[in-house]
Amino acid sequence: MKLVWSPETASKAYIQTVQSCRVFRESGVAELVSAMAAGWKAQLIVETWSEGGAMATSVGLAVARGHTGGRHVCVVPDERSRSEYAERMAEAGMRAEMAVGEAEEVMEGLAGGDFMVVDSTRDDFSRVLGLAKLSAKGAVLICKNVNSGVNGFGWRSVAEGASRRLVRSVFLPVGKGLDIAHVSAVGASAAKRWIKHIDQQSGEVHVIRR
């Protein structure tokens, strides 16, 4: 079983997020991640947030949850962040489910995540990714607030550490930068690639399967 894309659900979530996030006057990050989470029909959406953070992305993910019928859980570091997040989500008319504590504590109870959004401004963002117990059918991982000079985030190690493979990854110059990765289902074999090499001296073409 693998993730299946639904363009209709993605479109509905995108439009609703645009309407819901007008008050924030922020970039298109919220609309994009909302459409992606809804389009992939994510059943467990996990995000990280800390005190003073932007809310548009959270609202967008809450909108997506409404279209998928799944869960949207925000991981916050402490009670102060939990209180502020809950209050601001309520002001936006959204219901908030939260997990409070260090990554090692909270990620254990969030098994099966198939869509994650982490904030690179949090010191523990890479640890959260490394500790994530992803869905057996595959997952989409997003790191936001990344500039184009920072690359990788150990996407491949995150995938291989869970007996998966990195299907694809891409950096998008949306907002302050999004680094996105799609990891395969558990046990998925690595895709075979054909590599063409041309001998510069003889002109012979060698095709190698890797």
Side-chain angles (χ1 to χ4, degrees), residues 79-101:
E79 285 297 325
R80 187 167 178 173
S81 295
R82 183 205 63 77
S83 179
E84 180 184 343
Y85 184 86
E87 181 179 344
R88 294 176 66 184
M89 284 292 278
E91 290 174 353
M94 299 293 174
R95 178 167 58 87
E97 182 178 350
M98 286 166 286
V100 184

